[in-house]
Amino acid sequence: MDINDSIALVTGANRGLGRAFAQRLRERGARKVYATARRPETVDLPGVEVLPLDITSPPSVRAVAAAAPDVTLLVNNAGIQTGTDLVTGSLDAVRHEVDTNVLGHLEMIRAFAPALARNGGGAIVNVLSAMSWFGTRGAGAYHLTKAAAWAMTNGVRLELADQGTLVTAVHLGLADTDMSAGWPVDKIAPSDLADAALDGVEAGAAEVLADQWSRDVKSRLTLTPEEFNAAMDRALAALTAA
């Protein structure tokens, strides 16, 4: 799939990674970019078509799908991180993360799959995380949702193969956005992450490991749980000490 002349819709396009996706899509020749956000007035990019969207609201998802029937590339970027532990944290907060990071993305895929089929197959990008594969204290809910979103992405890829829709999972460690502002470590620039993902789409890749951190974490998945946890403890300690 060529990014040039594509018609893309990006969720959470008012800031961070979503804004970078929308901007790079325009710069790389997308014919049209729908930039969506819960507060559409906060989208400040020129040359995009702004639509209101709350991915946790089925009526809102149906409305945006009806307003953008020509989409050939769906970028599922919108997400949240509540900093919630699974056992002692608020169950309502856990549910909110699941509704947003997993079911919200799935709702978008279900709504746009028919349009993608009509428009030649197209592609879906799901922005995931290296935390699809590991958790930390204070982020158990986020780990749960990204692991579930990874599984959902793999399942959707199988179901949409017959209609010719590429489904690309994008994993990263930390990007230089508001969500990671408290971490004084190396982070991938949002524009570099967007380019890595869009390059992956053009190459027909099912998975993009956008930085060294995500590549290192995935390479440890063959370890036993004890070995994996020990390796991650050492890696996190080195990261925070750097």
Side-chain angles (χ1 to χ4, degrees):
M1 176 180 178
D2 290 333
I3 299 304
N4 185 54
D5 208 37
S6 63
I7 298 175
L9 184 142
V10 182
T11 66
N14 57 321
R15 60 177 184 163
L17 294 180
R19 187 182 189 280
F21 266 107
Q23 182 171 7
R24 291 300 293 137
L25 281 160
R26 287 290 297 155
E27 291 169 351
R28 291 176 61 147
R31 191 188 335 159
K32 184 190 296 185
V33 177
Y34 294 102
T36 72
R38 283 180 298 171
R39 295 174 55 210
E41 72 277 6
T42 62
V43 177
D44 62 354
L45 283 172
V48 300
E49 187 166 330
V50 181
L51 295 173
L53 173 64
D54 177 355
I55 65 172
T56 67
S57 165
S60 180
V61 172
R62 289 194 295 270
V64 83
D70 51 352
V71 164
T72 61
L73 172 60
L74 169 64
V75 180
N76 273 321
N77 161 77
I80 59 169
Q81 215 277 48
T82 64
T84 302
D85 284 319
L86 292 172
V87 177
T88 59
S90 162
L91 196 55
D92 285 342
V94 175
R95 288 194 181 99
H96 185 35
E97 286 205 43
V98 171
D99 285 345
T100 304
N101 298 347
V102 184
L103 298 180
H105 286 197
L106 181 57
E107 190 90 38
M108 290 292 293
I109 292 168
R110 289 166 63 96
F112 277 90
L116 291 171
R118 289 193 303 271
N119 298 329
I124 297 168
V125 171
N126 283 349
V127 179
L128 304 178
S129 170
M131 288 192 72
S132 301
W133 306 308
F134 79 97
T136 63
R137 290 293 300 272
Y142 191 72
H143 170 44
L144 166 67
T145 63
K146 290 303 181 179
W150 181 42
M152 180 269 288
T153 301
N154 292 336
V156 164
R157 183 181 300 115
L158 295 175
E159 294 184 28
L160 296 184
D162 288 346
Q163 71 174 46
T165 299
L166 172 69
V167 180
T168 301
V170 179
H171 298 271
L172 68 150
L174 287 174
D176 192 9
T177 65
D178 293 345
M179 186 181 288
S180 65
W183 287 77
V185 298
D186 288 339
K187 306 166 191 176
I188 188 171
S191 59
D192 290 343
L193 182 280
D195 275 331
L198 298 177
D199 289 346
V201 169
E202 290 194 320
E207 183 173 76
V208 172
L209 305 179
D211 56 12
Q212 191 58 46
W213 180 257
S214 59
R215 291 188 287 272
D216 287 346
V217 174
K218 193 175 185 190
S219 72
R220 300 183 181 115
L221 292 181
T222 57
L223 299 175
T224 67
E226 295 84 0
E227 292 169 337
F228 179 87
N229 289 336
M232 289 306 305
D233 286 345
R234 291 192 296 270
L236 289 167
L239 182 69
T240 55

